[in-house]
Amino acid sequence: MKLDLDQLRELIRLLDESNLTEIEVEHDDDRIRVRRDPAPVVGAVTSVGAVTSPPVGAASTTQSGEAPAAEDVGNYVTSPFVGTFYRSPSPESSAFIEVGDSIAPGQVLCIVEAMKLMNEIESEVSGTIVEILIESGKPVEYGARLFRVETS
Amino acid sequence: MKLDLDQLRELIRLLDESNLTEIEVEHDDDRIRVRRDPAPVVGAVTSVGAVTSPPVGAASTTQSGEAPAAEDVGNYVTSPFVGTFYRSPSPESSAFIEVGDSIAPGQVLCIVEAMKLMNEIESEVSGTIVEILIESGKPVEYGARLFRVETS
Amino acid sequence: MFEKILIANRGEIALRVIRSCRERGLRTVAVHSEIDADALHTRLADEAICIGPADPARSYLHIPAIIAAAEVTRADAVHPGYGFLSENPEFAETCAQCGLEFVGPLPEQMRQWGDKVSARALAKSLGLSIIEGTELIQDVEDAVKKAESLGFPVLLKASGGGGGRGMHILQSREEVRAIFETARAESRAAFGSDALYFEKFIERPRHIEFQILGDKHGNIHVLGERECSIQRRHQKILEEAPSVAMSDEQRRDMSATIRRAMSDVGYLSAGTLEFLLDERGELTFLEMNPRIQVEHPVTELVMGLDLVAEQIRIADGQPLELPEHPLSPRGHAIECRINAEDPVTFAPSPGKITELHMAGGTGVRVDSGVYGGGHVPPHYDPLIAKLIVHAPTRAQAIAKMRRALSETIIEGIRTNIPLHQRILAHPAFEEGLWVH
Amino acid sequence: MFEKILIANRGEIALRVIRSCRERGLRTVAVHSEIDADALHTRLADEAICIGPADPARSYLHIPAIIAAAEVTRADAVHPGYGFLSENPEFAETCAQCGLEFVGPLPEQMRQWGDKVSARALAKSLGLSIIEGTELIQDVEDAVKKAESLGFPVLLKASGGGGGRGMHILQSREEVRAIFETARAESRAAFGSDALYFEKFIERPRHIEFQILGDKHGNIHVLGERECSIQRRHQKILEEAPSVAMSDEQRRDMSATIRRAMSDVGYLSAGTLEFLLDERGELTFLEMNPRIQVEHPVTELVMGLDLVAEQIRIADGQPLELPEHPLSPRGHAIECRINAEDPVTFAPSPGKITELHMAGGTGVRVDSGVYGGGHVPPHYDPLIAKLIVHAPTRAQAIAKMRRALSETIIEGIRTNIPLHQRILAHPAFEEGLWVH
């Protein structure tokens, strides 16, 4: 192995100047990793191909401040405000949507009640409902994930 | 290995601006990963070429808890205790050693006075005095570097 | 009796409210923006609800989100802290309409005191000396006329302004002509109103404020004064209680006057009457802040009470349980506001706090809103902590604050601690003189 | 007058001493081991000197290094804190020989009180009730005879022991025979002496201690009691002042008795007389600690004084300036010792503190020796901080301590905070009953 020390120094300098703790570069059979502070505790993260998706639903996907774990990657409809989540317009009527249903932009997916107002949440994308993540009648906070969808 | 530093800087900037802790990009056989702040634990950062030297002088080299910078790597005679450093046995006499002098194990290099006792500090190695780091008559703490030596 | 209180704020004041609630067995709900998901108030409240993105207009200032958060958590009352919605009468009204007790004055009281011109008129009618001033100014010619009749130097003020914003010191009719239209446009942009007026400019005034509490049973207590003369660009940075410039007699007289005045209007909850003290020792009313103040801890320390707990008791309909006779200050207290900002340029300095040690030991109180390892987001007030000391004498309090500042370690961001150290080391400050 | 004090200690007590010095304009010198190069006391003292490697025997316990550090920094006096060299009469003597004032009792007083048997005899001669006990035991047969004449259960104690080490509760002559030789060997190994004796074992005693101060002018002050009954394996973990078990009358009587006794021997500096309080309300003398104690802050809060500052004034030859009549405790104070240890296994938990928020707000005092971003080394006492609260009543102090514990964030290491929370939540503790 031939070590390009100048390149390595450059990498170290970059790391030092930044807030990072690690830089890893791999090319062909070469791999360089420089790291600061100590070993990892939280297991790593974004798997290859974790492409950021366009926002879905009335609000953007949650930005919880942490990189999403591999299994969390996907498209979600999130709550645009704090309130109570309802899957149907009234206790007697049936749910707006069920798992497996196709959805289209503008289609009502659920209601979030806040300050006695029933706010209909509409889809902004076309796709299929994969999972319903909140029980009807439960409180939701801003950005709470309501539905997981597979966009088409 | 060819490193695209601009691309790397851009990645670092992206990470710094975000709330993420890691970005990894893979393309063909190239892979770049930058990471921030995942973990605690204690670990040393051993820079290339920072070879640990054998202890020199009456005490070991300082262990300040930080990895020595590249320019600090070398052999030092350190003070084995707190006291006042003297280069000669009395104000009238000449110094035990000067820069450029050869030294041998057991040779007296200086005096550190503590509790009215004059403690002679002897060399444990053979070599040459490269630098005298403390002015005569000044206080020194435990582990303070007194002389830099080139061992032979 | 309240069981759960929602705190419509963040930072040190949110934690301050959590403390008083928790010591009394009240449950707390924190509301937070997305960027505050790991903030101290979010972590330490019994419940936490995300109410919007980092932008305060869409979170901490967004009334429907806060009310909805109170609804889903079944809170009994809302404490607004200071800043954000604390002086917004519509918010107080909305709380009332939704069956939530607002911890603060009545909405009409907030309106009465919120506008500076009507506040001045009200104070005057209640027997408080007000600073010589004019009616609202019509136009630039009217401005010249009014300024001359008042006598230069004059202070041109925006009726809707506050916190030192929207003010200009003018020395001559030429300056009036030069600045008037600009000031009007500024006021319109900043406060949504171009109502301007003049006040007599008092040179080298001390800034003295009196803390009051009123309950729903008509009791008013005046809890002594604070001196807040150390300011930077009209922003307070260091406050103390009592003021070296107030004699016991003057304090007693002023307290009686203020108590009468506030009893007449049936003032509710905590409030602060701000005055200027001129070099002849005259106190003139400046404004009324109908909320808890940043600097309330210095009063708490010298008076030995918990103002936030009293606010909550008052909102809950309980009578004040303070001694009938005015309390006397015990010892001396000083507060330093620690801001995340460059101590020289005063530019905000958000970021991750990599190392943290807040001062401790005897007579030191820390009210902070950050933790070591946490982040200071760039979106909010740079006030990250308050260092407050209490000692038997002012000289001892100064020595203690110097000591407290010297042992405070905050790394990763810059703070104004060096500025405080310069103030505390200033001989004029030590002598209690006016320090610019 | 002293100008510079060297602190021969580390951690929270070193910072505690720095605080009292700095508030009085005294310069401070920290000594530190190599691993403590970035420790809080090293960072916050005016000067810092590395005196040796991490091993305490070669640094904080190494008398020549500490004396040399005082010499090169030209310190006037040495404060030993607690632990390390604080009860070492040779160290105090060496200080005196080198012209350094030792902040503590005279060497002969340290010797008098350091040995438990001679301390018991001295206390008895001074009119203090001592626990029924025996002379030193000759051999196993003598042990059986002495134990039977005292009556089981008995406590077998090492004369040189302390801090709960070197003690065995024995219920029968068989147990005496079984354990005696082992205990003798243990004592020899641990304390360098195999002198053993018996004491009557008091079941479910309260641990009560009285704080005293004596100056070089013959003044002795007794500053009330602390209750330290909450212990784990004879190690105190939570202390309070005053004790619920002491009446005003009993406190007054005991204070007068102790004051007389300590005046007779001319005791110098701070000291603590420890007693057991049995279920009949009798106080029996246990031992005397001739130094500042870990739990001294609870006395400071209820008595309104600074014990470390008084120690320094005393060493400097100044007279005590406390009221002639005994002080009465004001309010109630509780201290929780926060240790870096697993709350279940009690294994030490050193490491880097990644997140830190110490409790703040009214009535909370923090005496800590660590900072967020810093390291807790494995070589020393696991005590990293003391959380101390002061409130008008014991119930309010308990509520405040629960609140303070709930808002303390220490991540990266484990602490005994959950243990304190269990104690504070225990109904028996709330009622002031003896809690095991």
Side-chain angles (χ1 to χ4, degrees):
Chain A
M1 179 173 179
K2 219 171 66 207
L3 196 58
D4 184 339
L5 279 175
D6 285 338
Q7 212 172 51
L8 187 58
R9 272 193 208 96
E10 190 60 25
L11 271 176
I12 292 171
R13 204 179 56 76
L14 275 172
L15 188 70
D16 272 341
E17 284 169 9
S18 72
N19 283 323
L20 304 180
T21 51
E22 182 169 335
I23 300 174
E24 181 169 355
V25 181
E26 200 164 353
H27 176 72
D28 290 341
D29 287 325
D30 298 339
R31 194 163 70 92
I32 301 183
R33 183 166 64 157
V34 287
R35 182 192 282 192
R36 179 170 58 183
D37 216 62
V41 148
V42 187
V45 195
T46 318
S47 56
V48 177
V51 183
T52 316
S53 318
V56 176
S60 61
T61 51
T62 52
Q63 299 160 341
S64 69
E66 295 207 65
E71 66 273 21
D72 284 348
V73 174
N75 295 328
Y76 293 92
V77 178
T78 60
S79 180
F81 27 69
V82 184
T84 307
F85 170 79
Y86 292 108
R87 289 190 50 210
S88 59
S90 69
E92 305 81 42
S93 46
S94 56
F96 291 109
I97 47 155
E98 298 289 352
V99 170
D101 286 1
S102 293
I103 55 170
Q107 182 177 342
V108 174
L109 304 179
C110 64
I111 279 170
V112 175
E113 181 202 345
M115 294 181 74
K116 316 291 174 218
L117 289 175
M118 298 295 173
N119 305 282
E120 294 184 339
I121 309 300
E122 298 176 357
S123 177
E124 291 193 347
V125 294
S126 294
T128 309
I129 297 289
V130 178
E131 197 177 356
I132 299 167
L133 299 153
I134 306 273
E135 206 181 317
S136 195
K138 294 287 177 197
V140 289
E141 58 184 356
Y142 173 85
R145 290 171 170 184
L146 307 176
F147 304 101
R148 182 168 176 182
V149 299
E150 203 174 285
T151 48
S152 56
Chain B
M1 179 171 182
K2 219 172 66 212
L3 196 59
D4 186 338
L5 280 173
D6 285 337
Q7 208 172 53
L8 189 57
R9 271 194 209 96
E10 190 60 23
L11 270 178
I12 292 171
R13 205 179 56 76
L14 274 172
L15 188 68
D16 271 342
E17 284 170 10
S18 74
N19 282 324
L20 303 179
T21 51
E22 182 167 338
I23 298 175
E24 181 167 356
V25 181
E26 200 162 357
H27 177 73
D28 291 341
D29 287 326
D30 297 340
R31 193 164 69 92
I32 300 182
R33 181 166 65 156
V34 288
R35 180 194 282 193
R36 179 168 58 184
D37 192 18
V41 195
V42 194
V45 183
T46 311
S47 51
V48 178
V51 183
T52 316
S53 318
V56 177
S60 60
T61 51
T62 52
Q63 299 160 343
S64 68
E66 296 204 67
E71 65 272 22
D72 284 348
V73 174
N75 294 327
Y76 295 92
V77 177
T78 59
S79 178
F81 26 69
V82 183
T84 306
F85 171 79
Y86 292 108
R87 288 190 49 210
S88 58
S90 68
E92 304 80 43
S93 46
S94 56
F96 292 108
I97 47 156
E98 298 289 352
V99 169
D101 286 1
S102 293
I103 54 170
Q107 182 177 343
V108 174
L109 305 179
C110 63
I111 280 170
V112 175
E113 179 202 347
M115 295 181 74
K116 317 289 173 220
L117 289 176
M118 298 295 173
N119 305 282
E120 293 184 341
I121 309 299
E122 299 176 358
S123 178
E124 292 193 347
V125 294
S126 296
T128 309
I129 296 290
V130 179
E131 198 178 354
I132 298 167
L133 299 153
I134 306 271
E135 206 181 315
S136 195
K138 294 285 178 200
V140 290
E141 58 184 356
Y142 174 85
R145 289 171 173 185
L146 307 175
F147 304 100
R148 184 170 176 179
V149 299
E150 204 173 282
T151 49
S152 54
Chain C
M1 281 283 283
F2 296 154
E3 287 178 6
K4 193 188 274 187
I5 296 201
L6 181 140
I7 300 151
N9 216 303
R10 65 180 303 285
E12 69 87 17
I13 192 63
L15 184 49
R16 170 72 191 85
V17 177
I18 291 173
R19 288 179 171 134
S20 285
C21 290
R22 193 158 285 171
E23 289 183 15
R24 281 151 195 86
L26 293 167
R27 288 182 61 79
T28 52
V29 179
V31 295
H32 66 90
S33 66
E34 283 183 317
I35 206 160
D36 274 344
D38 292 321
L40 200 53
H41 73 295
T42 308
R43 291 181 65 160
L44 293 179
D46 295 310
E47 295 172 63
I49 298 265
C50 182
I51 55 167
D55 176 10
R58 295 178 60 199
S59 48
Y60 297 107
L61 288 167
H62 190 45
I63 296 177
I66 293 167
I67 300 286
E71 283 177 353
V72 300
T73 56
R74 302 174 195 280
D76 302 304
V78 174
H79 196 299
Y82 52 71
F84 289 132
L85 296 170
S86 63
E87 296 180 69
N88 183 320
E90 286 76 30
F91 180 55
E93 277 165 355
T94 310
C95 284
Q97 283 156 16
C98 297
L100 289 163
E101 199 68 33
F102 177 81
V103 180
L106 302 173
E108 59 266 29
Q109 293 175 333
M110 294 164 83
R111 287 202 176 85
Q112 274 178 328
W113 296 109
D115 178 86
K116 283 176 185 277
V117 169
S118 75
R120 275 162 36 89
L122 179 58
K124 190 174 182 183
S125 76
L126 292 169
L128 297 172
S129 305
I130 60 164
I131 196 161
E132 269 184 272
T134 68
E135 299 294 300
L136 292 184
I137 302 163
Q138 306 302 320
D139 52 34
V140 65
E141 287 313 316
D142 184 43
V144 171
K145 212 178 71 191
K146 283 192 159 69
E148 289 192 325
S149 73
L150 198 59
F152 289 100
V154 295
L155 203 56
L156 178 60
K157 296 182 82 169
S159 182
R165 296 183 312 146
M167 305 202 319
H168 298 270
I169 302 163
L170 303 177
Q171 304 285 353
S172 66
R173 79 170 72 175
E174 287 69 34
E175 283 190 25
V176 173
R177 284 190 205 282
I179 209 81
F180 182 72
E181 290 301 339
T182 316
R184 174 127 73 170
E186 273 176 14
S187 173
R188 203 180 301 120
F191 316 115
S193 145
D194 60 6
L196 301 176
Y197 65 99
F198 285 122
E199 262 176 18
K200 188 85 189 131
F201 176 65
I202 297 177
E203 298 199 60
R204 301 171 63 85
R206 285 175 185 269
H207 189 113
I208 304 287
E209 60 187 29
F210 280 80
Q211 175 68 52
I212 63 164
L213 279 177
D215 67 15
K216 291 179 178 173
H217 306 271
N219 301 305
I220 295 283
H221 279 276
V222 183
L223 300 163
E225 83 286 358
R226 296 184 282 264
E227 171 150 5
C228 316
S229 302
I230 311 288
Q231 306 190 356
R232 197 191 81 85
R233 296 200 177 167
H234 301 288
Q235 297 292 328
K236 298 168 188 168
I237 50 175
L238 182 153
E239 303 95 356
E240 48 188 316
S243 166
V244 290
M246 295 283 292
S247 67
D248 286 349
E249 193 191 347
Q250 194 174 14
R251 179 178 305 116
R252 209 162 40 235
D253 290 350
M254 259 330 268
S255 296
T257 304
I258 292 168
R259 189 173 184 180
R260 255 194 321 273
M262 292 296 117
S263 296
D264 286 352
V265 291
Y267 186 81
L268 188 69
S269 196
T272 300
L273 283 87
E274 302 201 352
F275 296 86
L276 291 182
L277 179 66
D278 66 23
E279 289 176 323
R280 302 186 316 277
E282 296 294 314
L283 280 165
T284 47
F285 175 82
L286 201 61
E287 65 184 51
M288 158 66 140
N289 293 312
R291 53 169 164 82
I292 196 80
Q293 302 262 100
V294 176
E295 59 271 25
H296 77 274
V298 293
T299 296
E300 292 185 327
L301 291 177
V302 297
M303 293 300 184
L305 44 72
D306 182 328
L307 289 167
V308 170
E310 295 297 339
Q311 278 190 302
I312 294 168
R313 286 170 49 85
I314 289 167
D316 203 17
Q318 298 172 47
L320 284 167
E321 280 180 1
L322 299 173
E324 179 62 24
H325 292 289
L327 290 166
S328 288
R330 200 175 55 80
H332 197 91
I334 302 177
E335 173 184 281
C336 286
R337 300 186 186 198
I338 310 299
N339 291 334
E341 64 190 18
D342 188 285
V344 177
T345 66
F346 299 101
S349 179
K352 180 177 176 175
I353 298 179
T354 54
E355 293 186 356
L356 181 74
H357 178 253
M358 295 306 297
T362 45
V364 174
R365 168 175 166 182
V366 176
D367 277 27
S368 78
V370 296
Y371 57 96
H375 289 81
V376 178
H379 309 76
Y380 312 109
D381 194 303
L383 178 72
I384 54 168
K386 301 182 311 200
L387 223 50
I388 313 131
V389 299
H390 188 208
T393 67
R394 186 169 187 270
Q396 286 169 311
I398 290 173
K400 198 176 276 292
M401 183 59 90
R402 286 179 185 154
R403 182 276 279 178
L405 289 166
S406 78
E407 71 180 47
T408 301
I409 297 172
I410 304 176
E411 295 293 336
I413 59 170
R414 289 183 296 282
T415 74
N416 63 346
I417 287 176
L419 172 68
H420 283 297
Q421 289 179 312
R422 286 200 302 278
I423 294 167
L424 269 294
H426 201 294
F429 177 76
E430 209 164 337
E431 288 171 40
L433 299 178
W434 195 91
V435 180
H436 195 59
Chain D
M1 281 282 284
F2 295 155
E3 286 179 8
K4 194 188 274 189
I5 295 201
L6 181 139
I7 301 151
N9 216 303
R10 66 179 303 285
E12 70 86 18
I13 192 64
L15 184 49
R16 169 72 191 83
V17 177
I18 291 174
R19 287 178 173 135
S20 284
C21 291
R22 194 158 284 171
E23 289 182 14
R24 281 150 194 87
L26 294 168
R27 289 181 60 78
T28 51
V29 179
V31 295
H32 64 91
S33 67
E34 283 184 317
I35 205 158
D36 273 345
D38 292 320
L40 200 53
H41 72 295
T42 309
R43 290 181 66 161
L44 294 180
D46 296 311
E47 296 172 63
I49 298 265
C50 182
I51 54 167
D55 175 10
R58 295 178 59 199
S59 48
Y60 298 107
L61 288 168
H62 191 46
I63 295 177
I66 292 168
I67 299 287
E71 282 177 352
V72 299
T73 56
R74 300 172 196 279
D76 302 303
V78 174
H79 195 299
Y82 52 71
F84 290 133
L85 296 170
S86 63
E87 296 178 67
N88 184 321
E90 286 77 30
F91 180 54
E93 277 165 354
T94 310
C95 285
Q97 284 155 14
C98 297
L100 290 163
E101 198 69 32
F102 177 80
V103 180
L106 302 174
E108 58 266 30
Q109 292 175 335
M110 294 164 84
R111 287 202 176 87
Q112 273 177 329
W113 296 109
D115 178 86
K116 282 175 188 279
V117 170
S118 75
R120 275 161 37 90
L122 179 58
K124 192 174 181 182
S125 76
L126 293 169
L128 297 172
S129 306
I130 60 163
I131 196 162
E132 269 183 89
T134 67
E135 298 293 300
L136 291 184
I137 302 164
Q138 306 301 320
D139 53 33
V140 65
E141 287 314 316
D142 184 44
V144 171
K145 210 178 72 190
K146 283 193 161 72
E148 288 192 326
S149 74
L150 199 59
F152 290 101
V154 296
L155 202 57
L156 177 61
K157 296 183 81 170
S159 182
R165 296 182 312 146
M167 304 200 322
H168 297 270
I169 302 163
L170 304 177
Q171 304 286 351
S172 64
R173 78 168 73 172
E174 287 70 35
E175 283 189 27
V176 173
R177 284 191 203 281
I179 210 82
F180 182 73
E181 289 303 338
T182 314
R184 172 127 74 170
E186 273 175 16
S187 173
R188 202 179 302 120
F191 315 115
S193 145
D194 60 4
L196 301 176
Y197 65 100
F198 285 120
E199 263 177 17
K200 186 88 188 127
F201 176 64
I202 298 178
E203 298 199 59
R204 300 170 63 84
R206 286 176 185 268
H207 189 113
I208 305 287
E209 59 187 32
F210 280 80
Q211 175 69 52
I212 64 165
L213 278 178
D215 67 17
K216 293 181 177 173
H217 306 269
N219 301 306
I220 295 283
H221 279 276
V222 183
L223 300 162
E225 84 285 0
R226 298 184 281 263
E227 172 152 4
C228 316
S229 302
I230 310 289
Q231 307 190 356
R232 197 190 82 84
R233 297 198 176 169
H234 302 286
Q235 297 292 325
K236 298 168 189 169
I237 50 175
L238 182 153
E239 304 95 357
E240 47 188 318
S243 166
V244 291
M246 294 284 291
S247 68
D248 287 348
E249 194 191 344
Q250 194 174 14
R251 177 177 306 115
R252 211 164 35 236
D253 291 349
M254 259 329 269
S255 296
T257 304
I258 293 168
R259 188 172 183 179
R260 250 190 328 268
M262 293 296 117
S263 297
D264 286 352
V265 290
Y267 187 80
L268 186 69
S269 196
T272 300
L273 284 86
E274 301 201 352
F275 296 86
L276 291 183
L277 179 66
D278 67 21
E279 290 175 321
R280 302 186 316 279
E282 297 293 316
L283 280 164
T284 46
F285 174 82
L286 202 59
E287 65 184 53
M288 157 66 140
N289 293 313
R291 53 167 163 82
I292 196 80
Q293 303 263 100
V294 176
E295 59 271 25
H296 76 276
V298 293
T299 296
E300 293 186 326
L301 292 177
V302 298
M303 293 302 184
L305 45 71
D306 182 328
L307 289 168
V308 172
E310 295 297 340
Q311 277 190 303
I312 294 169
R313 285 170 50 83
I314 288 167
D316 203 18
Q318 300 172 46
L320 284 167
E321 281 179 2
L322 299 173
E324 179 62 24
H325 291 290
L327 290 165
S328 286
R330 202 175 53 79
H332 197 91
I334 302 177
E335 172 184 282
C336 286
R337 301 187 185 196
I338 311 297
N339 291 335
E341 64 189 18
D342 187 285
V344 177
T345 66
F346 299 99
S349 179
K352 179 176 177 178
I353 298 179
T354 54
E355 295 186 355
L356 181 74
H357 179 253
M358 296 307 296
T362 45
V364 174
R365 168 176 167 183
V366 176
D367 278 28
S368 79
V370 296
Y371 58 97
H375 288 82
V376 178
H379 309 77
Y380 311 111
D381 193 304
L383 178 72
I384 54 168
K386 302 183 309 201
L387 223 49
I388 314 132
V389 299
H390 188 209
T393 66
R394 185 169 188 269
Q396 287 168 310
I398 290 173
K400 197 175 277 292
M401 184 58 90
R402 286 179 184 154
R403 183 277 278 176
L405 290 166
S406 78
E407 71 182 45
T408 301
I409 297 172
I410 304 175
E411 295 293 337
I413 58 169
R414 290 184 297 283
T415 74
N416 62 346
I417 289 177
L419 172 67
H420 283 297
Q421 289 179 312
R422 286 201 303 279
I423 295 167
L424 269 294
H426 201 295
F429 178 76
E430 209 164 336
E431 287 172 38
L433 298 179
W434 196 90
V435 180
H436 194 57

